[in-house]
C-alpha cells in the first residue's frame, strides 16, 4: 500500500502548506481517496493483474496530460510484485476502453462491455476496470485543481510537485443554500415557482431507473462483506442494480461511497446546493442523463427553485441565476473539459466572490467526484423510465 498521499505529492502539497491544511478540513475525503487508490490499483483482482492495472493507469494519465500521476504509476509498475502479463487481447481491449472513456465518457456503450467480455474479462474484472478508469478521472481533476490553486497563491512553503514514490472538526455554522452577501439577483423571467418536471435537450429532473449491462450480484449469493458494503453505501442499495453491480468489488465500492458521502453530504463548508450545482453541470457536460436527473432534483430541494436547472439543461457554460452560480458553472466545466490546462485564472473568479480555500476544495471535490460517477453510470449501464432517485 502507498505510504504517502498520492494527491498531496502530485499537487506539490506538504504539511504546513495552506492548501495541505485546507484539504484536511475534509479529512474523510482525503482518507477515502487514498484508500480508493490502494483498493483499485493494488489489491488482488481475479483476472486483472496489478501490473496490467498500472499499465492502464499510465495510459490514462498520459492521455490526460497528467505527468506527475503518470510518473507515480510508472514507479509503482517498476516495483509491482505481480508482473503477470494479461492475454494480449484482454490488455488491448482494456486499454481501448480506458482511452475512450478518458477522452469522452459518452463513448462508452453496451458494445464496449461486450468487447471486454469477448476478450475474456468476467463481470467482476470489468467492474474493477471501470472503477480504475473512473477513479483516475477524479484523481486527475483533483490534482489539477489543487495545482491551479497553488499557482494562485504564495505558498507557506514552496514545494514543487515531485515524483511519487483523523476527521477534521467541522467549522461551526449551518449548511445554508446561499452565503450572506452573495449575488442572488435572478435573471429576468426566472421561474421561482415550485419545480415541476422539466425535459429539455435530452435531460430531465424526473426520476429515472438505471439498468446494468452486467449481471448484478444476487443478494442470495452475496458474501457477508458484500452485504455489509451495500448497507453502508445507501439505504436503497440492495434494490439498486447500480450498487449491486459495483459490489462485485466490495472494497472499491466501500471506499468510493465513503468519499462520495463525505464530499456531497458533509456539513459546513460550501453550501450543499452549490455542490449539487457543480455535480449537475458536470453531468450535463458529460451527457450523463441519470446523474443529471438525480442532482437536478437535489439542487431544487436545497435551493427551492428550478430556474438554474433549466439554464444548465440549455447551456451549462452560461448557466446560473447569480454571479456566484455562473462562476461555479464555469469552473465545473473547466475542470471537466480541460483539467490539463487549469490555471490560477480559473480560480480567481471564485476567490473574487468570497470563496476561501476550503470552499473551493469542496467545489473541486464535487466536480471531480462526478467525473468518477458519470463514467460508472454511463459505461456500466443505462437510464430507464422509473422512480428511482439513488445517488450516483
Amino acid at each position: 500500500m502507498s505510504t504517502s498521499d498520492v494527491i498531496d505529492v502530485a499537487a506539490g502539497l506538504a504539511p504546513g502548506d495552506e492548501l495541505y491544511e485546507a484539504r484536511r478540513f475534509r479529512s474523510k475525503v482525503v482518507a477515502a481517496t487514498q484508500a480508493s487508490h490502494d483498493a483499485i490499483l493494488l489489491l488482488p483482482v481475479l483476472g486483472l493483474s496489478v501490473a496490467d492495472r498500472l499499465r492502464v493507469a499510465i495510459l490514462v494519465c498520459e492521455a490526460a496530460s497528467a505527468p506527475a500521476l503518470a510518473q507515480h504509476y510508472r514507479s509503482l509498475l517498476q516495483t509491482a510484485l505481480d508482473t503477470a502479463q494479461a492475454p494480449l487481447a484482454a490488455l488491448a481491449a482494456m486499454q481501448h476502453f480506458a482511452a475512450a472513456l478518458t477522452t469522452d465518457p459518452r463513448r462508452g456503450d453496451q458494445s464496449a462491455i461486450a468487447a471486454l467480455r469477448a476478450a475474456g474479462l468476467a463481470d467482476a474484472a470489468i467492474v474493477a476496470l471501470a472503477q480504475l478508469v473512473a477513479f483516475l478521472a477524479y484523481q486527475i481533476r483533483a490534482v489539477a485543481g489543487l495545482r491551479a490553486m497553488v499557482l494562485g497563491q504564495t505558498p507557506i512553503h514552496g514545494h514543487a510537485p515531485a515524483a511519487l514514490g483523523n476527521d477534521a472538526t467541522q467549522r461551526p455554522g449551518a449548511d445554508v443554500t446561499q452565503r450572506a452577501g452573495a449575488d442572488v439577483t435572478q435573471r429576468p423571467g426566472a421561474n421561482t415557482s415550485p419545480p415541476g418536471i422539466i425535459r429539455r435537450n435530452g435531460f430531465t429532473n424526473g426520476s429515472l431507473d438505471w439498468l446494468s449491462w452486467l449481471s448484478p450480484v444476487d443478494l442470495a449469493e452475496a458474501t457477508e462483506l458484500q452485504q455489509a458494503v451495500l448497507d453502508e453505501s445507501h439505504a436503497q442499495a440492495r434494490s439498486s442494480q447500480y450498487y449491486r453491480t459495483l459490489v462485485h468489488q466490495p472494497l472499491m465500492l466501500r471506499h468510493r461511497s465513503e468519499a462520495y458521502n463525505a464530499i456531497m453530504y458533509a456539513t459546513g463548508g460550501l453550501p450543499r446546493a452549490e455542490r449539487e450545482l457543480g455535480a449537475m453541470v458536470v453531468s450535463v457536460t458529460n451527457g450523463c442523463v441519470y446523474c443529471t436527473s438525480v442532482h437536478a432534483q437535489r439542487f431544487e430541494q436545497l435551493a427551492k427553485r428550478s430556474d438554474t436547472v433549466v439554464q444548465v439543461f440549455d447551456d451549462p457554460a452560461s448557466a446560473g441565476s447569480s454571479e456566484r452560480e455562473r462562476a461555479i458553472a464555469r469552473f465545473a466545466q473547466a475542470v471537466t473539459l480541460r483539467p490539463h490546462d487549469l490555471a490560477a485564472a480559473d480560480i480567481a473568479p471564485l476567490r473574487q466572490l468570497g470563496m476561501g480555500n476550503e470552499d473551493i476544495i469542496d467545489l473541486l471535490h464535487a466536480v471531480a467526484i462526478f467525473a468518477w460517477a458519470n463514467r460508472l453510470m454511463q459505461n456500466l449501464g443505462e437510464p430507464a423510465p422509473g422512480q428511482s432517485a439513488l445517488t450516483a
Side-chain angles (χ1 to χ4, degrees), residues 35-85:
S36 293
H37 166 279
D38 294 346
I40 291 169
L41 283 139
L42 303 177
L43 290 182
V45 172
L46 184 64
L48 285 185
S49 69
V50 169
D52 281 334
R53 277 175 276 163
L54 292 171
R55 292 184 183 101
V56 169
I58 293 166
L59 178 148
V60 166
C61 294
E62 289 177 342
S65 299
L69 288 170
Q71 181 55 42
H72 165 65
Y73 292 117
R74 286 192 204 95
S75 298
L76 285 183
L77 180 59
Q78 291 172 359
T79 58
L81 297 178
D82 181 0
T83 57
Q85 176 73 41

Side-chain angles (χ1 to χ4, degrees), residues 267-304:
T267 60
L270 191 73
R272 279 191 56 203
E274 295 181 345
R275 297 179 229 175
E276 295 292 347
L277 174 58
M280 181 170 51
V281 169
V282 175
S283 298
V284 170
T285 301
N286 283 336
C288 187
V289 173
Y290 184 93
C291 291
T292 297
S293 72
V294 172
H295 298 283
Q297 291 176 47
R298 297 288 184 268
F299 176 84
E300 290 172 343
Q301 291 162 0
L302 292 162
K304 304 294 191 292

Side-chain angles (χ1 to χ4, degrees), residues 212-223:
S212 181
W213 293 328
L214 300 175
S215 298
V217 170
D218 185 337
L219 293 177
E221 299 176 359
T223 66

Side-chain angles (χ1 to χ4, degrees), residues 302-368:
L302 292 162
K304 304 294 191 292
R305 53 188 175 81
S306 60
D307 52 334
T308 300
V309 173
V310 174
Q311 294 160 14
V312 173
F313 287 6
D314 284 346
D315 179 18
S318 64
S321 295
S322 69
E323 184 181 357
R324 185 177 172 105
E325 285 188 356
R326 290 189 287 276
I328 288 169
R330 287 192 296 270
F331 179 76
Q333 274 222 314
V335 174
T336 300
L337 296 175
R338 51 178 184 83
H340 57 282
D341 69 355
L342 284 178
D346 295 299
I347 305 296
L350 303 176
R351 293 205 182 280
Q352 290 165 5
L353 289 166
M355 289 193 195
N357 287 335
E358 291 164 357
D359 289 346
I360 295 171
I361 292 173
D362 270 356
L363 177 58
L364 175 63
H365 283 155
V367 171

Side-chain angles (χ1 to χ4, degrees), residues 222-233 238 247 250 254:
T223 66
E224 288 187 10
L225 176 59
Q226 288 172 323
Q227 301 269 8
V229 170
L230 286 172
D231 291 339
E232 295 166 7
S233 296
R238 287 173 175 266
V247 86
R254 168 176 280 168

